């Protein structure tokens, strides 16, 4: 949950948890007290009502056996307010008034003495003359409960009992349960604080681990015993985040080192042609116009060194575009005639190198950028020509597989050791520095070729020794390339020349 200004709310989790639990307990206890009082109040009032109904039934049985005054005295002796209205309209009242019943239960000493049982013994056996209750109604008003019963002989008996004792019992119960609830909440406060503190202790460990890692202990991890709990999931996510951050940090450091090495190597590579141009210019300035032959030689040297520097700059710009994600102009291309055309161009550029081509009789379709793919083949053939020497042999093969077209470039040179087959794709790396320096290679051909292959969704790798005995480079293209340009992953700084 965030504040209106967008910041994360940082209210104490312990305080929020304790308060929430205590509020919930208070609500539950209040509901319990109210429910107990309501149920007990209904039960007590039902008992008073049952008592009145029993007395009304007994009084109905004695109607006609005892006169109204004696019957009223007997009922009032039990603490009831009695009103008997006879069929002729005469009314008899006895017992405490409703106002007295509201004030509290009557004093037993103030009640009239009950009629001895033997006085009514003769009438007890004559219950046949009693009456029956035809209807009754109950009414409660301000501390008194009144039962009105109509008999079949026209008599009406009204009995009233006080409920103040019920109210006092409920009040006492409320005080007892309220006090007990307050004591329970007090104990619960201590217990909840202790439990919550122990429960949230893993969060303190997470905080301590985070501060320790910020202080330099990069290898520290929480390693939760269980990952299916809330704390376990948080700890697992924390460890995964640390692994990712540590990996990203290592990658950033490695990338920075690669950039520094690349800049250093690029500066070194550029220094050579620039130094040659400077030396030639100084010679021209010193000799002036006296020696035309020398000027011509130096001019050719300047042109060659400037061309070498220009090629290096172009290769560096191409590597930068590959790192950003180069845009490819894809179109469906039959690779068989395309490869024949590219080989013809390479033969014109490398007249002393024997270039053989092996292609299938059927067409090999692919969705590629022909110009960029030609750059890949050109870099691979140039690399092979530098390895084999001026009169070497290079074989180019094209096959169509289920996974897509496969193009191989093989030479009869000295080959590449297994430990260097991946390193040759590092930027500005040479396996034979002197020969590459003479040939003008800067060590960017193979990295550029791999970058273009990856941008096509394919791969470029150095394979095992081939039939000619030299190096073998295998270019694999996807069977169905994506239409949009794909940004390749950061290339490991690499080189092409050997």
């Amino acid at each position: 949950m965030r504040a209106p200004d967008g910041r994360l709310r940082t209210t104490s989790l312990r305080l929020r948890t304790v308060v929430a639990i205590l509020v919930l307990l208070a609500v539950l206890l209040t509901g319990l007290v109210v429910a107990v009082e309501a149920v007990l109040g209904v039960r007590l009032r039902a008992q008073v009502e049952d008592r009145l109904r029993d007395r009304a039934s007994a009084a109905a049985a004695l109607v006609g056996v005892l006169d109204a005054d004696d019957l009223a005295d007997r009922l009032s002796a039990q603490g009831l307010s009695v009103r008997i209205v006879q069929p002729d309209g005469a009314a008899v009242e006895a017992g405490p008034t409703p106002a007295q019943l509201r004030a509290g239960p009557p004093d037993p000493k103030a009640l009239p003495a009950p009629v001895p049982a033997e006085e009514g013994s003769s009438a007890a056996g004559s219950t046949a003359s009693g009456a029956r209750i035809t209807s009754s109604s109950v009414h409660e008003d301000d501390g008194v409960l009144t039962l009105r019963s109509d008999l079949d002989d026209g008599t009406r008996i009204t009995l009233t009992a006080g409920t103040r004792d019920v109210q006092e019992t409920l009040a006492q119960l409320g005080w007892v349960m309220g006090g007990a609830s307050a004591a329970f909440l007090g104990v619960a406060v201590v217990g909840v604080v202790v439990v919550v503190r122990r429960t949230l202790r893993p969060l303190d460990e997470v905080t301590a681990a985070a501060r320790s890692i910020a202080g330099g202990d990069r290898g520290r991890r929480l390693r939760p015993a269980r990952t299916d709990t809330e704390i376990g999931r948080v700890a697992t996510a924390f460890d995964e985040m640390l692994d990712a951050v540590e990996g990203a940090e290592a990658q950033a450091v490695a990338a920075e080192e690669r950039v520094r090495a690349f800049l250093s190597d690029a500066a070194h590579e550029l220094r050579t042609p620039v130094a040659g141009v400077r030396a030639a210019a100084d010679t021209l300035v010193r000799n002036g116009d006296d020696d035309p032959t020398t000027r011509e030689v130096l001019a050719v040297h300047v042109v060659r060194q400037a061309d070498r520097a220009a090629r290096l700059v172009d290769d560096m710009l191409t590597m930068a575009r590959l790192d950003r994600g180069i845009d490819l102009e894809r179109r469906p291309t039959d690779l068989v005639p395309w490869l024949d055309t590219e080989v013809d161009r390479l033969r014109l550029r490398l007249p002393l190198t024997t270039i053989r081509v092996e292609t299938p009789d059927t067409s090999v379709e692919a969705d590629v950028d022909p110009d960029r793919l030609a750059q890949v083949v050109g870099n691979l053939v140039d690399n092979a020509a530098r390895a084999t020497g001026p009169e070497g042999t290079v074989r180019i093969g094209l096959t169509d597989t289920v996974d897509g077209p496969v193009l191989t470039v093989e030479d009869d040179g000295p080959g590449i050791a297994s430990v260097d087959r991946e390193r040759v794709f590092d930027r500005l790396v040479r396996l034979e520095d002197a020969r590459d320096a003479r040939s003008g290679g800067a060590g960017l051909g193979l990295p550029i070729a791999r970058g273009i292959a990856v941008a096509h969704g394919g791969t470029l790798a150095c394979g095992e020794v081939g039939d000619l005995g030299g190096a073998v480079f295998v270019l694999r293209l996807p069977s169905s390339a994506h239409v949009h340009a794909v940004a390749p992953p950061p290339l490991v700084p690499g080189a092409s020349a050997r």
Side-chain angles (χ1 to χ4, degrees):
M1 183 181 296
R2 295 186 176 273
D5 58 357
R7 294 185 297 175
L8 182 67
R9 295 184 184 273
T10 56
T11 308
S12 172
L13 184 59
R14 289 187 177 90
L15 178 61
R16 291 168 60 183
T17 304
V18 170
V19 171
I21 293 176
L22 293 179
V23 169
L24 178 60
L25 288 177
V27 172
L28 293 177
L29 290 174
T30 302
L32 178 63
V33 171
V34 172
V36 169
E37 287 189 352
V39 172
L40 184 59
V42 171
R43 181 60 180 170
L44 293 176
R45 288 181 178 86
Q47 290 179 354
V48 175
E49 183 179 345
D50 292 341
R51 177 188 171 198
L52 292 178
R53 291 186 181 279
D54 291 341
R55 299 299 179 268
S57 298
L62 294 176
V63 170
V65 177
L66 296 178
D67 58 18
D69 292 332
D70 291 339
L71 182 56
D73 290 339
R74 283 184 176 236
L75 294 174
S76 64
Q78 301 178 16
L80 303 177
S81 175
V82 183
R83 176 181 174 83
I84 301 176
V85 179
Q86 298 178 9
D88 58 1
V92 177
E93 295 182 0
T97 62
Q100 293 174 338
L101 291 176
R102 293 189 185 95
D107 186 0
K109 296 180 179 179
L111 296 175
V115 179
E118 53 271 21
E119 294 181 4
S121 58
S122 59
S126 304
T127 56
S129 60
R132 289 186 307 104
I133 298 177
T134 58
S135 64
S136 61
S137 61
V138 179
H139 175 68
E140 183 177 5
D141 180 25
D142 193 17
V144 293
L145 187 66
T146 301
L147 174 65
R148 176 179 175 179
S149 301
D150 295 329
L151 307 184
D152 56 1
D153 65 347
T155 304
R156 180 185 304 161
I157 301 177
T158 303
L159 301 179
T160 303
T163 57
R164 185 177 181 84
D165 55 345
V166 174
Q167 297 175 352
E168 291 178 353
T169 300
L170 295 177
Q172 292 176 358
L173 178 64
W175 282 107
V176 171
M177 294 192 68
S181 299
F184 175 78
L185 285 177
V187 176
V189 169
V190 179
V192 169
V193 169
V194 173
V195 171
V196 170
R197 181 175 299 174
R198 292 178 61 88
T199 303
L200 298 181
R201 184 174 298 172
L203 294 181
D204 295 333
E205 297 180 6
V206 174
T207 302
R211 290 176 176 172
S212 176
I213 292 169
D217 187 7
R218 296 292 192 269
R220 183 172 179 180
R221 297 294 184 272
L222 296 174
R223 296 181 179 87
R226 294 182 58 183
T227 60
D228 57 343
T229 62
E230 291 81 0
I231 298 297
R233 287 193 290 270
V234 171
T236 301
F238 186 80
D239 287 348
E240 292 175 352
M241 179 192 68
L242 292 179
D243 292 338
V245 170
E246 187 174 9
E249 182 182 16
Q251 292 178 0
V253 172
E256 184 179 1
E257 292 296 330
R258 290 196 298 268
V259 169
R260 291 179 179 176
F262 179 74
L263 292 176
S264 176
D265 293 340
H268 177 74
E269 293 292 338
L270 285 172
R271 183 173 58 184
T272 300
V274 170
V277 171
R278 177 185 297 175
D282 290 341
T283 303
L284 286 173
V285 171
R286 287 195 304 270
N287 293 339
D289 298 333
D290 298 336
D291 191 354
T293 303
T294 302
R295 289 200 305 273
E296 182 178 356
V297 171
L298 292 177
V300 171
H301 180 69
V302 169
V303 171
R304 288 178 178 176
Q305 294 298 329
D307 182 64
R308 180 182 177 187
R311 290 200 308 270
L312 178 58
V313 172
D314 290 340
D315 289 344
M316 293 173 63
L317 290 175
T318 302
M319 291 301 306
R321 294 190 187 99
L322 289 172
D323 290 340
R324 291 196 306 268
I326 192 169
D327 293 330
L328 301 177
E329 297 180 2
R330 294 177 179 271
R331 58 179 179 269
T333 303
D334 186 352
L335 297 183
V336 174
W338 168 85
L339 183 59
D340 292 335
T341 302
E342 294 301 324
V343 169
D344 291 340
R345 295 177 182 175
L346 291 171
R347 285 171 178 163
L348 293 175
R349 187 159 55 87
L350 302 170
L352 299 180
T353 302
T354 301
I355 302 177
R356 299 203 305 259
V357 181
E358 298 177 357
T359 57
D361 297 333
T362 59
S363 63
V364 179
E365 297 290 337
D367 188 14
V368 296
D369 185 336
D371 295 334
R372 289 296 182 182
L373 198 59
Q375 188 175 1
V376 174
V377 175
N379 287 355
L380 294 177
V381 173
D382 287 342
N383 182 78
R386 284 193 294 267
T388 60
E391 299 181 356
T393 299
V394 178
R395 183 172 64 188
I396 304 175
L398 177 64
T399 58
D400 194 7
T401 66
V402 176
D403 296 329
V406 177
L407 189 146
T408 59
V409 177
E410 180 181 356
D411 61 60
D412 60 353
I416 300 176
S418 58
V419 296
D420 295 326
R421 287 174 185 166
E422 186 62 29
R423 195 168 71 91
V424 294
F425 292 102
D426 293 341
R427 301 175 185 179
L428 299 175
V429 171
R430 297 191 182 111
L431 302 184
E432 298 181 20
D433 291 337
R435 184 170 63 195
D436 278 351
R438 291 193 303 269
S439 65
L444 291 175
L446 288 181
I448 291 174
R450 172 174 275 188
I452 295 175
V454 173
H456 277 85
T459 61
L460 177 62
C462 181
E464 300 293 334
V465 177
D467 296 336
L468 298 181
V472 177
F473 288 91
V474 180
L475 171 64
R476 298 182 183 275
L477 298 173
S479 57
S480 57
H482 296 290
V483 176
H484 300 289
V486 179
L491 299 176
V492 178
S496 62
R498 294 171 293 180

